[in-house]
Amino acid sequence: MEKAVLITIGDEILSGNTIDTNSNFIASELKNIGIKVSQIYTISDEIETIKNTLKLAFESGDLVITTGGLGPTRDDKTKKALAEFFDDEITLDEETFNHLKAYMERRGRLDILERNKEQAFVPSKSTVFQNHYGTAPCMMMELNGKLSYSLPGVPYEVKPLIRDQIIPYLQEKFSLNYIHTRIVSVVGIPESVLADIIEDWELDLPENIALSYLPVGTRVKLRLTASGDNEDFLKEQTENEIQKLLPLIKDHVIATSEDRIENILSELLTGKKLTISTAESCTGGELSKMITSVPGSSKHFMGGVVTYATEKKAEILKVSQETIDKYTVVSEQVAREMAEGCQKLFDTDIALSTTGVAGPGKGEDGKEVGTVFYTIRINDQEVTSKLYMPHLDRLDFMNFVSQKVIQDLVGILVNSR
Amino acid sequence: MEKAVLITIGDEILSGNTIDTNSNFIASELKNIGIKVSQIYTISDEIETIKNTLKLAFESGDLVITTGGLGPTRDDKTKKALAEFFDDEITLDEETFNHLKAYMERRGRLDILERNKEQAFVPSKSTVFQNHYGTAPCMMMELNGKLSYSLPGVPYEVKPLIRDQIIPYLQEKFSLNYIHTRIVSVVGIPESVLADIIEDWELDLPENIALSYLPVGTRVKLRLTASGDNEDFLKEQTENEIQKLLPLIKDHVIATSEDRIENILSELLTGKKLTISTAESCTGGELSKMITSVPGSSKHFMGGVVTYATEKKAEILKVSQETIDKYTVVSEQVAREMAEGCQKLFDTDIALSTTGVAGPGKGEDGKEVGTVFYTIRINDQEVTSKLYMPHLDRLDFMNFVSQKVIQDLVGILVNSR
């Protein structure tokens, strides 16, 4: 059980209506138990196409997982294709029907049970994993020791099926090793110099721990991947190795667990016991959303304001009308006063502000689309920067700017140690 | 020129590190000129795999677009695979080199021109589309009247290449058919019931109109895709079919043109000249971000606050301490007072509020993870609802709740017509 192939079924992905996030989730969950995704096929909901793709997938993979193409409407053909491919017939599964009935009952929708009854029909050779968050069951089939799972396409039904049922099943059935991964984020040392400094430590790593260097912008991520049959032991073992590593590069390490920049920020703020708040204009809430997307952020994030209307910048954040009139609302000066007002309003150690033009229309003061000023204020110190990103569309712009503000703040916090 | 196949090259997608957003963008741009994506292959960065997949792709598609696997820090296996597949050799392209040089010069990085020179080497038979936002050029190849384009993987380089260069090129070269798409958004009817109700209408649809069901949260989107050589006729034809559909499900239709719920809201607010503001807790800024993601939202969105810390709900939104003490911070009463305070603070017609526990840890008042109260306040009318979504992870929860709040508001605005 080493290689998996994913099949995403559905015209909503091929038509560009929906972004496929299931494959991403499944691939990263499989990686945690040491199974690598070698290929993803995204195909349309047609019986012949599904059968042909199952054939291709089983040629190269030990495990095939399909998502989508299961549901109560007429364009769902996955089940028929499964039955034909495995030379099976579709029959009513009593247990699945009872599960469906209980599910409908809990939701007070027994009136439409009959219409959804079809969902309880599955290939007779399949093993069913019940879906607790939707009506389409997950079906497992076996072919020459290889396995296939067919799941519905709705992400919040896919996640618990994979995490709570399929992963544990695979782990037990194939006595899969546990994989434990830690990421150490290093800044301010070129990759080649870093490799020199930690060479002895690297050579002394236990055999079950693999190290890789992942450069991301000006940061190098050191990834330790440990595998073994005892999860607790792996955790202790990697932590020990990281403790040996730290004295060698201490001043350059910005995080030892987290990977995403907002998680690194969270770790830093928690460690330094600092509080933070945001005052946004062009990022429209994306900055505070990124910060609050991290579990436990309520410990340091006090709150934020999105002052879209200019007069609200004056009223709520106390940006002076004189400054706005003199420098326009998209200016270094306004960014600074927004951060200052924000810090007072939320009474935090750190305040972040953004003011700019996300486009596609020009700002009211005629500033170019893609211009943004942002301020990072820590206690009574502050730094204001300008970005000009005219090639990004509105959502990408909001996201890019928010990422950059957080990355700059992380840089400052690390260097002030 | 009817069917396209996309090939996404790169281990960062297969490992679950990165979500593939390029395919989504490309598919929806191609759809607009009547080219259907029939398949997406996501594969690893290996010469043999790339060549085999190109072969498969050309068997079923008239147009093949690859993204990823091009760049200065990579092995550049895509280019080698291209040259081998098309039986070509890689040579220095003067025009591409001059473009690269000018690009580096504008960025003050002529010092690393030599290291990037390899980017100007392309298969000799290729037609180059210059990349204005990165160093890897886009290469077009031809095979028996079929076309392939190879693009870099960075989304903000892909978007302008596709939109500004490839789409116009294809439109002109192949005098393409028109495609007209309409989306009818339906709420309050389960997909299976909806399918029953509109079955006769669906069976009677003209052959050039395709229908699909796209469930999104508790909404079902019905997509009509019409193709033909007369754009005006297609518009009239789909409008006629929608007029036949509406009497069947009238009270459940919230929009017949716009697709994303935030765009539907924007259209409604603009039409009714209403202003709006938000007061968020558990959604952390996602709600205001969704509203501001729509171009032109500054006309109706005055601003928002994210009051994460309980005392800020009292200070900024004037939620009474008594209410918080009596009912706890995650309660119907606090949601109501938040909306009221928000409406006053931003002086808007409409105010939305959310308070809940996104998890994974319990809220400070011990409320269950996944519980949320939200209020929609319009002038002096308000409605407060409760949701319990314990199975969603933190980000999905923030997104689902925001979607639901906007959807409810849209429902109210539609019914008050």
Side-chain angles (χ1 to χ4, degrees), chain B residues 87-104:
Chain B
D87 196 17
D88 196 4
E89 53 184 354
I90 294 175
T91 54
L92 179 73
D93 184 66
E94 280 300 328
E95 196 188 318
T96 304
F97 181 71
N98 290 336
H99 176 85
L100 184 68
K101 193 174 165 187
Y103 178 88
M104 290 294 189

Side-chain angles (χ1 to χ4, degrees), chain A residues 132-406:
Chain A
H132 299 291
Y133 304 105
T135 55
C138 164
M139 296 157 289
M140 183 179 79
M141 306 288 284
E142 217 167 328
L143 183 80
N144 309 328
K146 297 180 171 192
L147 291 179
S148 83
Y149 291 89
S150 298
L151 285 76
V154 184
Y156 69 77
E157 299 177 22
V158 168
K159 284 182 182 177
L161 277 167
I162 292 285
R163 197 178 40 211
D164 305 336
Q165 299 194 60
I166 297 174
I167 294 287
Y169 180 90
L170 291 171
Q171 269 186 306
E172 194 179 320
K173 175 152 178 153
F174 299 98
S175 325
L176 293 174
N177 262 343
Y178 289 97
I179 301 283
H180 184 65
T181 300
R182 288 281 296 271
I183 300 218
V184 178
S185 286
V186 185
V187 293
I189 318 181
E191 194 180 339
S192 55
V193 180
L194 178 62
D196 271 4
I197 297 176
I198 68 174
E199 190 178 8
D200 290 342
W201 170 82
E202 187 177 347
L203 290 170
D204 278 348
L205 279 175
E207 271 196 6
N208 69 319
I209 298 186
L211 178 76
S212 43
Y213 292 74
L214 311 166
V216 179
T218 54
R219 175 162 58 119
V220 179
K221 298 198 278 186
L222 294 173
R223 189 179 57 206
L224 287 84
T225 309
S227 65
D229 54 15
N230 183 328
E231 200 174 8
D232 289 334
F233 173 75
L234 295 179
K235 282 182 184 166
E236 205 187 303
Q237 195 191 24
T238 45
E239 175 61 28
N240 283 346
E241 293 304 327
I242 289 172
Q243 288 308 324
K244 285 188 224 162
L245 168 70
L246 286 183
L248 306 175
I249 47 171
K250 200 167 179 190
D251 293 345
H252 300 280
V253 173
I254 57 171
T256 62
S257 301
E258 293 300 351
D259 188 352
R260 288 159 66 220
I261 195 77
E262 56 268 39
N263 292 51
I264 294 176
L265 175 64
S266 176
E267 198 179 314
L268 282 167
L269 293 176
T270 306
K272 289 170 182 276
K273 296 195 198 315
L274 292 171
T275 56
I276 192 168
S277 59
T278 56
E280 301 178 66
S281 188
C282 62
T283 47
E286 173 75 358
L287 182 57
S288 74
K289 179 216 148 174
M290 273 184 67
I291 294 173
T292 59
S293 72
V294 182
S297 49
S298 59
K299 285 198 189 68
H300 46 253
F301 183 69
M302 295 299 111
V305 280
V306 182
T307 48
Y308 233 49
T310 299
E311 67 265 27
K312 295 300 162 189
K313 292 184 180 68
E315 278 174 40
I316 300 175
L317 292 172
K318 314 298 177 202
V319 174
S320 86
Q321 192 58 51
E322 206 183 321
T323 306
I324 295 171
D325 293 343
K326 190 166 170 191
Y327 299 103
T328 80
V329 76
V330 177
S331 64
E332 188 186 331
Q333 290 78 5
V334 166
R336 269 164 41 193
E337 291 190 24
M338 283 173 71
E340 209 178 321
C342 180
Q343 192 182 41
K344 282 200 189 108
L345 184 66
F346 289 102
D347 191 21
T348 51
D349 303 307
I350 303 172
L352 309 175
S353 71
T354 64
T355 179
V357 192
K362 277 195 181 189
E364 53 193 272
D365 60 0
K367 278 283 193 317
E368 284 295 332
V369 169
T371 308
V372 59
F373 292 91
Y374 61 94
T375 297
I376 296 172
R377 188 176 167 89
I378 307 181
N379 298 323
D380 56 355
Q381 304 277 309
E382 64 178 29
V383 52
T384 301
S385 313
K386 183 187 174 179
L387 270 177
Y388 178 58
M389 312 294 291
H391 53 290
L392 298 182
D393 65 22
R394 194 173 173 92
L395 267 172
D396 288 347
F397 177 83
M398 292 163 72
N399 185 263
F400 187 96
V401 172
S402 303
Q403 291 264 2
K404 184 71 169 72
V405 173
I406 294 178

Side-chain angles (χ1 to χ4, degrees), chain A residues 11-21 23-25 27-28 31 36-44 46 49 53 56 71-76 107 109 112 115-116 133 154-157 159-160 163 214 221 223 259-260 281-299 301-309 311-312 315-316 344-347 359-360 389-396 398 400, chain B residues 11-21 23-25 27-28 31 36-44 46 49 53 56 133 155-156 159-160 163 183 188 190-193 195-196 199 202-203 211-215 217 221 223 259-260 281-286 288-290 292-298 301-309 311-312 315-316 344-347 359-360 389-396 398 400:
Chain A
D11 291 328
E12 67 277 20
I13 311 275
L14 292 173
S15 69
N17 262 19
T18 306
I19 291 177
D20 172 25
T21 55
S23 298
N24 181 265
F25 178 80
S28 82
K31 194 173 59 180
K36 203 180 145 159
V37 171
S38 61
Q39 172 120 29
I40 305 169
Y41 295 94
T42 307
I43 59 172
S44 67
E46 286 154 30
T49 309
T53 310
L56 275 175
T73 50
R74 63 176 67 246
D75 49 354
D76 297 315
R107 273 159 185 73
R109 295 311 307 257
I112 56 166
R115 219 178 259 120
N116 280 273
Y133 304 105
V154 184
Y156 69 77
E157 299 177 22
K159 284 182 182 177
R163 197 178 40 211
L214 311 166
K221 298 198 278 186
R223 189 179 57 206
D259 188 352
R260 288 159 66 220
S281 188
C282 62
T283 47
E286 173 75 358
L287 182 57
S288 74
K289 179 216 148 174
M290 273 184 67
I291 294 173
T292 59
S293 72
V294 182
S297 49
S298 59
K299 285 198 189 68
F301 183 69
M302 295 299 111
V305 280
V306 182
T307 48
Y308 233 49
E311 67 265 27
K312 295 300 162 189
E315 278 174 40
I316 300 175
K344 282 200 189 108
L345 184 66
F346 289 102
D347 191 21
M389 312 294 291
H391 53 290
L392 298 182
D393 65 22
R394 194 173 173 92
L395 267 172
D396 288 347
M398 292 163 72
F400 187 96
Chain B
D11 291 327
E12 68 277 20
I13 311 275
L14 291 174
S15 69
N17 267 2
T18 305
I19 292 178
D20 171 26
T21 56
S23 298
N24 180 264
F25 178 81
S28 83
K31 190 173 64 181
K36 203 179 147 161
V37 172
S38 61
Q39 171 119 27
I40 305 169
Y41 294 95
T42 307
I43 59 171
S44 66
E46 286 154 31
T49 309
T53 310
L56 274 176
Y133 303 104
Y156 69 76
K159 284 182 182 176
R163 196 178 40 211
I183 304 235
E191 193 182 343
S192 56
V193 180
D196 268 7
E199 190 177 8
E202 186 178 346
L203 290 170
L211 178 77
S212 39
Y213 291 74
L214 312 166
K221 300 197 278 186
R223 188 182 58 210
D259 183 357
R260 288 159 66 221
S281 188
C282 62
T283 48
E286 173 74 357
S288 75
K289 179 216 149 175
M290 274 184 67
T292 59
S293 72
V294 181
S297 50
S298 59
F301 183 69
M302 295 300 110
V305 280
V306 182
T307 47
Y308 234 49
E311 67 265 27
K312 295 300 162 189
E315 277 175 42
I316 300 175
K344 281 198 190 113
L345 184 66
F346 289 102
D347 191 20
M389 311 294 291
H391 54 289
L392 298 182
D393 66 22
R394 194 173 172 91
L395 267 172
D396 288 346
M398 291 162 73
F400 188 96

Side-chain angles (χ1 to χ4, degrees), chain B residues 72-97:
Chain B
T73 61
R74 289 170 196 263
D75 261 339
D76 243 347
K77 289 177 190 149
T78 301
K79 224 183 267 179
K80 282 180 203 137
L82 269 182
E84 287 184 24
F85 180 79
F86 288 99
D87 196 17
D88 196 4
E89 53 184 354
I90 294 175
T91 54
L92 179 73
D93 184 66
E94 280 300 328
E95 196 188 318
T96 304
F97 181 71

